[in-house]
Amino acid sequence: MTDSYESEALLGQYLDFHYRSTDPDYLPHHSLPEGVVNYPRRCAEVLLKNAINYGHALDLGCAVGGSSFHLATRFEEVVGIDFSHAFIHAARHLAETGHFRHSETTYTLPSEARKCRPTFQWGDACNLPEDLGTFDAILMANLLCRLPDPARCLSGLRRHTRSGSLLFITTPCSWDEAYTPREKWLHPTLEALHAHLDPWCENLDTFDMPFVLRDHPRRAQFTIAQASLWRVG
Ligand SMILES: C[S@@+](CC[C@H](N)C(=O)[O-])C[C@H]1O[C@@H](n2cnc3c(N)ncnc32)[C@H](O)[C@@H]1O
């Protein structure tokens, strides 16, 4: 079911969400408050503010790379991984050239991101390569409830962290059998996250993060993601 992220329509939707959400024509008939736009950047900022070390960062389920570029303004090396070939192609093109053209729109990296060069690779968050290495910060933005086996993903992350690493997980908690078999849902999400992460992480904070994802100039989803920040012990 993760193939749904290969469509041209979703590619355009996520390019808009990552690179144009502050443009006046993102939702031209209604102005959006600052607190609901720039979601990929706001997610990255939580790690930029709280990290202890700024060596390696991982953006898991990076889509078209908006958070990865922002992480790379401070982290020395950033890797973005996603299951969608179309998204990874767009993110790589942006990294190589600073822009990407899709359906008559040219997306351009913000100026502070143009000198950053995160690397992007196709991959499965539930089966990460063992030699991926360890990270000082891992972002999983709106990925958890799109995975076939979210618990497997969480336990797999342990080998890619070290003491002091940060893990930032946001999720709309919109569990759906189209993505995750019901018996694998982590529900209620926060309790399940504690059950899986408390043995090796400390929960530093839990808060709400609203965002707006447009699919038409007159229509958008308004979602309040649950965000939780964890430090590996
Ligand atoms: C709801 S989108 C969130 C994207 C991005 N993090 C954001 O906040 O805009 C979910 C992303 O997870 C990716 N994804 C789905 N299953 C995956 C998997 N098994 N491994 C890695 N990425 C996956 C999708 O391709 C999509 O880019």
Side-chain angles (χ1 to χ4, degrees):
M1 297 310 281
T2 35
D3 276 0
S4 59
Y5 288 98
E6 298 292 356
S7 76
E8 289 292 309
L10 273 188
L11 177 59
Q13 197 172 311
Y14 274 86
L15 284 164
D16 285 342
F17 184 52
H18 281 222
Y19 299 109
R20 289 187 58 240
S21 75
T22 54
D23 288 5
D25 64 344
Y26 185 62
L27 266 183
H29 306 283
H30 191 77
S31 61
L32 292 171
E34 219 173 277
V36 305
V37 296
N38 252 337
Y39 183 72
R41 183 188 176 117
R42 284 187 286 130
C43 288
E45 269 164 7
V46 172
L47 290 171
L48 290 170
K49 275 192 199 127
N50 289 283
I52 297 172
N53 297 307
Y54 292 86
H56 293 191
L58 172 64
D59 181 6
L60 201 51
C62 63
V64 292
S67 298
S68 310
F69 283 105
H70 199 60
L71 287 168
T73 59
R74 177 117 194 240
F75 282 91
E76 280 164 32
E77 277 187 45
V78 177
V79 181
I81 293 184
D82 201 277
F83 200 71
S84 162
H85 293 280
F87 285 3
I88 289 296
H89 170 73
R92 278 188 182 150
H93 198 280
L94 277 158
E96 282 158 19
T97 67
H99 56 83
F100 183 73
R101 191 156 172 80
H102 178 262
S103 185
E104 295 174 23
T105 303
T106 299
Y107 299 88
T108 305
L109 289 180
S111 53
E112 74 274 12
R114 273 180 226 154
K115 53 185 183 307
C116 306
R117 288 288 174 265
T119 55
F120 293 100
Q121 63 189 68
W122 178 90
D124 179 358
C126 301
N127 287 293
L128 291 173
E130 283 196 19
D131 62 358
L132 188 62
T134 56
F135 297 89
D136 300 299
I138 298 180
L139 172 64
M140 286 173 59
N142 295 1
L143 171 69
L144 203 65
C145 60
R146 293 295 169 265
L147 294 175
D149 193 345
R152 181 184 165 101
C153 170
L154 292 175
S155 63
L157 288 184
R158 195 167 181 169
R159 77 166 79 95
H160 300 295
T161 59
R162 45 187 170 245
S163 178
S165 298
L166 284 183
L167 187 54
F168 185 47
I169 300 173
T170 71
T171 171
C173 309
S174 51
W175 297 100
D176 183 335
E177 281 180 302
Y179 298 98
T180 317
R182 187 171 286 266
E183 66 276 13
K184 302 274 187 188
W185 291 6
L186 300 185
H187 182 72
T189 308
L190 191 58
E191 284 86 333
L193 280 175
H194 273 284
H196 284 275
L197 296 178
D198 280 351
W200 56 287
C201 296
E202 177 194 359
N203 179 229
L204 299 182
D205 202 1
T206 302
F207 51 97
D208 290 331
M209 283 187 71
F211 66 89
V212 165
L213 179 65
R214 175 197 103 142
D215 63 8
H216 178 277
R218 286 185 176 273
R219 189 177 56 206
Q221 287 172 27
F222 175 54
T223 307
I224 301 152
Q226 177 192 82
S228 57
L229 181 64
W230 307 80
R231 177 160 279 141
V232 177

